[in-house]
Amino acid sequence: MHRPSFTASHLAAALIVASCMQPGLAFAAGAVSFDEVKRGFRSSDTAVLDRNGELLQRVRTDATVRRGQWIALADVSPALRMAMVLSEDRRFYEHSGIDWRAVSSAAWANLWNTRTRGASTITMQLSGLLDEDLRRANSGRTFTQKIGQTMAATQLERNWRKDQILEAYLNTVPFRGEIVGIDALSRTLFGKAPSGLDAREAAVAAALVRAPNAKPAQVAQRACEVMRAMEPGQKIDCDALDMFTSAAVQRRAFDANEGIAPHAARRVLKELAEAEATAKSAAPARQAGPRETAVRTTLRAPLQRFALDALQRHLKELRGRHVEDGALVVLDNASGEVLAWVGSSGPLSQAAEVDAVTALRQPGSTLKPLLYAQAIAERRLTAASLIDDSSAQINTASGLYIPQNYDRQFKGPVSARTALAASLNVPAVRTLVMVSPESFARQLRAAGLPLRENGDYYGYSLALGSAEVSLLSLTNAYRMLANGGRYETTTLTARTAAPPAASPTKAKAGDNASAAAPMLDPAAAFIVGDILSDANARTRTFGLDSILSTRFWTAVKTGTSKDMRDNWAVGWSQRYTVGVWVGNASGASMWDVSGTSGAAPVWAEVMRFLHAREPSRAPRPPAGLVEARVAFGPGADGNPLEAARSEWFLQGTEQPLFALDTGAGTPAANTAAARIIAPVDGTIIALDPDIPPLHQRVRFESEGRGVQWRIDGKHFARGNSAQWLPWPGRHVIELVDATGKVVDQRRIEVRGAGVVAKNARR
């Protein structure tokens, strides 16, 4: 004797019981409104948008399910709507949630062991999808669930329109595997939007609802039946449909992560997650809201596409030079907003997932502008000060440090303007001797550069970029120079209410609303920008026709790290700061890539794109600057060292002539304020008990005329050099000019036998 199935016979009993229950009994699925269901829908992806709402990147953020976007019924193809109704609920537009004819037919068929479509309507299925308590388990629904499902379906029909029921059903019904909803199904299996599905694709989609995880042949057989119902009287080629179905169910066209800004998307989602975690820890009782499925960034989609294309095109040209990776970032000077973020070269790279915008690499000569800015701000140099570009041997704790220029040649005495613009290494190291590595390292950290060690660890090689920094932090440090020495962090997440856009012709570097005090003297920042915008000053290294020269005002610096592993170009215009890095994520050396053939062409191309319709004018000089005419004395050949010119000075440092000291043949002491060359600030001297005290001397070296030395406020010696017998303790070494004014000082510490406690605590 046949035993009726639970699904058919018990459904009829459930309906009878449900009809006898109180009509006002509310079930969760039936009580919820259509708008609430739509608002609560969450895609498995987060759409990362640009500042204007244009899609940049889709990022998979829910690994448990695959959902697309909510699709309005009007955006679903008519073929799919027809297929779904014919397959699942032929009298959908006639019943009120329960198809009584189907119920009777199912019960009668079960009694005689005959297979039928079943009695579950689209509305009943939707009620089971909306209420977790009514959801079908592997063993089927319980009798109580059946009662709840019928009541919820009746209530849905009472409160919702038919088009709303069908729309919600198509967006929440599971299809195959992890795929839920018609958008994910259409894009995954057919590679198109739901609006474009034809009759054949619609039949396969409808067949998958009935048997989501069936074998392709079974799905094809069911799809053929749906096709016959859709096109009665037409001949259906079921064999061809079988082949099509087998191919479709194996396709995965809907890439989990696609777009033009993968690294920026991951970064902004990480920042949002950290912000949410911080907020939750601050207020544990606070209920977490629903996860956002669209995040707006500060990026500009057209600029992002152009920057990515420009970087990839240039790297293809460098393929023969063993270069495969690159990165690029564009910042808005005034707001700090990131306008473009290209983290890798994509398919050209073997490490495309590595974000080179935040990766730490050696910056080479791109640290020099920050060094010269500090030296000028501290009045150790002026832009016209002469620095000797000659072979140098600098004593360090680990031995002699002998810096070399890029071309292995020396230029002799050059002005600081020429030394920086032409990127000469030896003058940069001599400048760091004046500033000291530790002081420079503190300045770099204050500018947002993440130095892992102290200045003494890097030593004088810090002037040539031996520390590791990220492209983002380095570009933002240059933005600090563009903003008159004011440092502020960058932002990638768009504000909820963006301020009105400034007129391009009125926007100025440094027009940030923040009232933060400058971290660097604005006058020094201006002078460095003026030097880096001077095409004539860089001719000794880059020539007259350099890729770095633009038709509009820009200031730029290139850099190449040790063994040619990294190449950089970072610079700013009136409104934007652009940073570019090229190299290899593996750290492998490039072949024959210079400062102008590596990153610089990409930098120049992006700058031209930014200013195609937007001018860039030189910044206005800040207070505290003096413009004066300067001349240079003769060199060894009798000709002036450099052509006379108009130069910018910090007020009080200007002078009309910069010349060599005829006695020593070295740059004259009056080329800058008198200064201490040695010892460096923070020096620690250890006395050796095995060496006689009279043989342990500290040598003092300085530049300047008529100077004298004071130790701890007491006169010690006159002249540019002196030998001091050290004694334990902490000491202040001062250099005093002819008027008695202290022009420079160093703090040192002497350690060794006999150090008393009070000295140790001072």
Side-chain angles (χ1 to χ4, degrees), residues 75-77 192-198 201:
D75 295 327
V76 178
S77 73
K192 61 172 67 172
S195 59
L197 295 183
D198 58 24
E201 294 162 339

Side-chain angles (χ1 to χ4, degrees), residues 68-83:
Q69 300 300 313
W70 182 278
I71 303 298
L73 190 61
D75 295 327
V76 178
S77 73
L80 179 59
R81 281 180 272 169
M82 178 190 295

Side-chain angles (χ1 to χ4, degrees), residues 102-297:
V103 170
S104 300
S105 176
W108 185 258
N110 277 335
L111 181 63
W112 297 100
N113 197 24
T114 303
R115 296 184 62 185
T116 64
R117 184 192 64 80
S120 181
T121 64
I122 285 178
T123 313
M124 293 173 66
Q125 292 181 51
L126 177 61
S127 67
L129 294 171
L130 298 182
D131 191 339
E132 195 167 334
D133 292 336
L134 304 179
R135 202 155 295 167
R136 180 186 180 93
N138 292 334
S139 58
R141 288 187 177 89
T142 66
F143 182 71
T144 304
Q145 285 179 314
K146 284 292 182 183
I147 296 175
Q149 188 181 27
T150 57
M151 290 296 292
T154 304
Q155 213 169 0
L156 277 175
E157 290 277 352
R158 190 180 302 129
N159 299 329
W160 292 24
R161 300 191 310 268
K162 286 287 187 181
D163 62 316
Q164 292 176 330
I165 292 173
L166 185 56
E167 180 177 319
Y169 177 73
L170 290 173
N171 281 283
T172 56
V173 65
F175 281 98
R176 188 172 185 85
E178 63 177 359
I179 301 172
V180 172
I182 193 60
D183 188 43
L185 176 81
S186 300
R187 297 184 184 278
T188 302
L189 267 58
F190 308 119
K192 61 172 67 172
S195 59
L197 295 183
D198 58 24
R200 183 173 59 171
E201 294 162 339
V204 173
L208 286 170
V209 173
R210 184 67 58 83
N213 298 311
K215 294 180 179 179
Q218 293 174 296
V219 176
Q221 182 180 358
R222 173 62 185 154
C224 195
E225 296 173 6
V226 176
M227 284 284 289
R228 290 194 180 101
M230 293 172 66
E231 301 176 0
Q234 299 292 324
K235 185 177 180 180
I236 307 300
D237 188 347
C238 291
D239 291 336
L241 186 58
D242 188 3
M243 295 177 61
F244 172 78
T245 304
S246 297
V249 296
Q250 298 177 46
R251 190 178 295 123
R252 290 293 181 270
F254 195 33
D255 190 6
N257 298 282
E258 65 177 9
I260 58 173
H263 302 90
R266 287 199 293 268
R267 171 81 173 203
V268 74
L269 292 178
K270 179 182 178 183
E271 289 178 357
L272 288 173
E274 291 173 349
E276 289 174 4
T278 302
K280 188 175 180 181
S281 62
R286 181 180 175 184
Q287 186 71 21
R291 179 179 56 82
E292 293 294 331
T293 57
V295 176
R296 188 166 296 211
T297 68

Side-chain angles (χ1 to χ4, degrees), residues 27 84 116 134 141 143 220 260 266 273 374 401 473 509 556 591 641 722:
F27 288 85
M84 202 63 70
T116 64
L134 304 179
R141 288 187 177 89
F143 182 71
I260 58 173
R266 287 199 293 268
Q374 182 176 352
Y401 178 58
S473 63
V556 60
W591 300 338
L641 291 168

Side-chain angles (χ1 to χ4, degrees), residues 162-481:
K162 286 287 187 181
D163 62 316
Q164 292 176 330
I165 292 173
L166 185 56
E167 180 177 319
Y169 177 73
L170 290 173
N171 281 283
T172 56
V173 65
F175 281 98
R176 188 172 185 85
E178 63 177 359
I179 301 172
V180 172
I182 193 60
D183 188 43
L185 176 81
S186 300
R187 297 184 184 278
T188 302
L189 267 58
F190 308 119
K192 61 172 67 172
S195 59
L197 295 183
D198 58 24
R200 183 173 59 171
E201 294 162 339
V204 173
L208 286 170
V209 173
R210 184 67 58 83
N213 298 311
K215 294 180 179 179
Q218 293 174 296
V219 176
Q221 182 180 358
R222 173 62 185 154
C224 195
E225 296 173 6
V226 176
M227 284 284 289
R228 290 194 180 101
M230 293 172 66
E231 301 176 0
Q234 299 292 324
K235 185 177 180 180
I236 307 300
D237 188 347
C238 291
D239 291 336
L241 186 58
D242 188 3
M243 295 177 61
F244 172 78
T245 304
S246 297
V249 296
Q250 298 177 46
R251 190 178 295 123
R252 290 293 181 270
F254 195 33
D255 190 6
N257 298 282
E258 65 177 9
I260 58 173
H263 302 90
R266 287 199 293 268
R267 171 81 173 203
V268 74
L269 292 178
K270 179 182 178 183
E271 289 178 357
L272 288 173
E274 291 173 349
E276 289 174 4
T278 302
K280 188 175 180 181
S281 62
R286 181 180 175 184
Q287 186 71 21
R291 179 179 56 82
E292 293 294 331
T293 57
V295 176
R296 188 166 296 211
T297 68
T298 59
L299 300 179
R300 294 182 185 172
L303 174 61
Q304 179 75 15
R305 276 191 291 270
F306 180 85
L308 178 61
D309 178 67
L311 181 66
Q312 290 180 341
R313 278 190 287 105
H314 185 61
L315 288 175
K316 288 177 182 177
E317 296 175 5
L318 294 177
R319 269 181 177 167
R321 303 190 190 184
H322 197 234
V323 185
E324 67 175 29
D325 291 299
L328 184 151
V329 68
V330 180
L331 304 178
D332 183 281
N333 289 342
S335 65
E337 293 177 335
V338 181
L339 305 180
W341 181 307
V342 181
S344 80
S345 57
L348 303 179
S349 172
Q350 296 184 30
E353 294 301 309
V354 175
D355 189 353
V357 170
T358 57
L360 299 179
R361 314 283 298 193
Q362 287 190 342
S365 294
T366 55
L367 291 187
K368 290 176 183 175
L370 301 169
L371 171 62
Y372 280 91
Q374 182 176 352
I376 292 172
E378 293 177 357
R379 298 174 178 255
R380 300 180 185 279
L381 284 178
T382 73
S385 297
L386 294 175
I387 309 175
D388 193 16
D389 181 29
S390 61
S391 179
Q393 297 184 1
I394 301 173
N395 285 306
T396 69
S398 57
L400 289 178
Y401 178 58
I402 306 176
Q404 296 287 335
N405 286 325
Y406 181 80
D407 57 5
R408 300 283 177 176
Q409 297 180 0
F410 299 106
K411 308 297 188 295
V414 295
S415 69
R417 174 175 290 270
T418 299
L420 174 56
S423 197
L424 303 178
N425 287 345
V426 175
V429 174
R430 293 187 188 277
T431 301
L432 184 56
V433 171
M434 304 177 203
V435 172
S436 87
E438 182 54 36
S439 177
F440 184 41
R442 287 196 299 268
Q443 183 86 345
L444 293 178
R445 289 193 192 92
L449 298 176
L451 270 62
R452 293 175 172 174
E453 307 291 344
N454 59 33
D456 293 334
Y457 174 86
Y458 301 108
Y460 297 109
S461 65
L462 186 59
L464 309 183
S466 60
E468 292 184 331
V469 302
S470 69
L471 177 61
L472 180 62
S473 63
L474 180 64
T475 306
N476 196 41
Y478 272 59
R479 174 177 160 255
M480 177 194 71
L481 295 173

Side-chain angles (χ1 to χ4, degrees), residues 549-736:
S549 300
T550 57
R551 295 180 179 272
F552 44 90
W553 188 91
T554 54
V556 60
K557 184 73 185 71
T558 62
T560 305
S561 68
K562 183 180 179 182
D563 298 328
M564 211 171 288
R565 292 187 178 129
D566 310 277
N567 186 254
W568 311 71
V570 190
W572 69 93
S573 64
Q574 182 182 12
R575 190 170 181 183
Y576 308 104
T577 302
V578 178
V580 182
W581 167 84
V582 299
N584 294 295
S586 64
S589 298
M590 299 173 286
W591 300 338
D592 192 27
V593 175
S594 67
T596 55
S597 65
V602 182
W603 177 89
E605 194 171 346
V606 171
M607 271 296 187
R608 286 195 297 269
F609 179 85
L610 288 166
H611 290 284
R613 297 180 181 84
E614 187 174 338
S616 176
R617 300 184 177 92
R620 298 171 184 171
L625 276 177
V626 175
E627 188 174 16
R629 189 75 180 172
V630 297
F632 295 88
D637 58 1
N639 296 318
L641 291 168
E642 294 187 13
R645 62 174 182 257
S646 181
E647 188 60 88
W648 291 101
F649 296 92
L650 269 64
Q651 195 167 16
T653 64
E654 67 273 15
Q655 60 186 60
L657 178 66
F658 292 82
L660 294 176
D661 186 335
T662 55
T666 58
N670 66 355
T671 61
R675 57 188 176 271
I676 298 173
I677 297 176
V680 298
D681 194 44
T683 296
I684 297 176
I685 300 167
L687 296 178
D688 190 334
D690 294 329
I691 300 176
L694 292 178
H695 292 173
Q696 299 189 58
R697 300 275 182 165
V698 178
R699 184 175 180 82
F700 295 169
E701 294 286 348
S702 71
E703 290 184 354
R705 293 174 179 253
V707 295
Q708 56 182 309
W709 299 91
R710 289 199 313 211
I711 300 178
D712 299 331
K714 298 179 181 179
H715 174 76
F716 169 65
R718 297 180 183 274
N720 293 111
S721 63
Q723 298 278 346
W724 175 59
L725 179 64
W727 64 88
R730 296 179 179 178
H731 307 284
V732 178
I733 313 300
E734 296 175 321
L735 190 67
V736 182

